[in-house]
Amino acid sequence: MLNKLSKDLRLVSDGADLLTSILIRYSELGSVHYECEQHVLKFAFMIRQQKNLAPFEDILRPALELYHHLEGQTVRVFEITCRTEENVTVLTVVRDLESVRQREVGLMVELLRRKFEKELVYDEMNLDHEDLTYQEEIISQMLTSIKLMDIPRNVLALRDEGRVLVFNN
């Protein structure tokens, strides 16, 4: 019993470390959520003002599908949803943990940054090129090692005034 509890805590910790690393590297992400039931990651971006994101979805979806095709990846879950809350539009991309890659997350962020440069909500981060590269390597390694693990709990990491907060349930 104690051995299983220890293993579960280590897996949850590994999941929390992955989500924290993603938020540190990509300050444009508002939150990242791991859902154990579907074994997926949910990436949430926040855009100031109420926006119709359908035209952007028409760019993002084919770009990510082309990326998957070029990488020869089979994708189990790939969903894009939008919702508006007060003066913020939240774009959520849901991806299965088995096939998501760090470069794909980077592509999503770059497309959003270019399209919504002034409206995208993000924290100003002052990481130099070496630190950014290091974070990308860490994310790649963690995604590779964690994709076959069965993390027993949901884990949520979100950004709050320059801090990264992590919760599990």
Side-chain angles (χ1 to χ4, degrees):
M1 172 80 168
L2 189 58
N3 192 25
K4 180 176 176 0
L5 180 62
S6 176
K7 180 182 176 188
D8 286 354
L9 289 174
R10 185 177 43 81
L11 289 173
V12 170
S13 177
D14 289 348
D17 290 346
L18 171 63
L19 301 186
T20 301
S21 294
I22 290 172
L23 286 180
I24 288 171
R25 170 57 184 95
Y26 299 108
S27 62
E28 297 84 357
L29 274 162
S31 67
V32 183
H33 186 182
Y34 169 75
E35 286 192 357
C36 62
E37 298 83 18
Q38 292 184 288
H39 203 54
V40 298
L41 289 176
K42 289 184 174 184
F43 302 95
F45 300 89
M46 293 182 285
I47 299 159
R48 286 183 192 92
Q49 304 172 350
Q50 295 182 1
K51 295 273 187 190
N52 174 11
L53 296 183
F56 179 71
E57 287 182 59
D58 292 340
I59 296 168
L60 182 62
R61 183 173 298 281
L64 293 178
E65 287 173 349
L66 177 60
Y67 171 82
H68 299 142
H69 176 73
L70 292 173
E71 292 291 316
Q73 294 176 316
T74 302
V75 176
R76 181 176 55 83
V77 177
F78 175 43
E79 300 168 5
I80 301 173
T81 59
C82 297
R83 72 180 191 283
T84 301
E85 298 176 6
E86 296 183 22
N87 288 330
V88 175
T89 302
V90 179
L91 174 77
T92 304
V93 179
V94 182
R95 290 286 290 109
D96 60 277
L97 194 56
E98 298 87 4
S99 67
V100 70
R101 301 285 184 272
Q102 178 275 321
R103 290 175 38 192
E104 177 183 352
V105 177
L107 176 60
M108 280 190 280
V109 170
E110 187 61 29
L111 289 170
L112 275 151
R113 187 182 311 139
R114 289 180 184 214
K115 178 68 176 171
F116 301 106
E117 181 179 357
K118 292 182 175 41
E119 296 96 359
L120 191 61
V121 176
Y122 65 94
D123 280 345
E124 199 63 49
M125 301 288 287
N126 293 322
L127 297 176
D128 62 27
H129 179 71
E130 191 174 292
D131 289 335
L132 293 175
T133 302
Y134 175 73
Q135 285 297 325
E136 289 171 358
E137 290 172 8
I138 293 292
I139 293 167
S140 292
Q141 291 172 0
M142 292 176 97
L143 281 170
T144 299
S145 67
I146 209 166
K147 68 182 174 183
L148 299 176
M149 296 179 188
D150 187 22
I151 300 170
R153 296 184 186 161
N154 294 337
V155 182
L156 169 66
L158 57 93
R159 190 175 304 288
D160 180 42
E161 297 179 5
R163 298 175 298 170
V164 173
L165 305 175
V166 181
F167 304 93
N168 68 64
N169 58 350

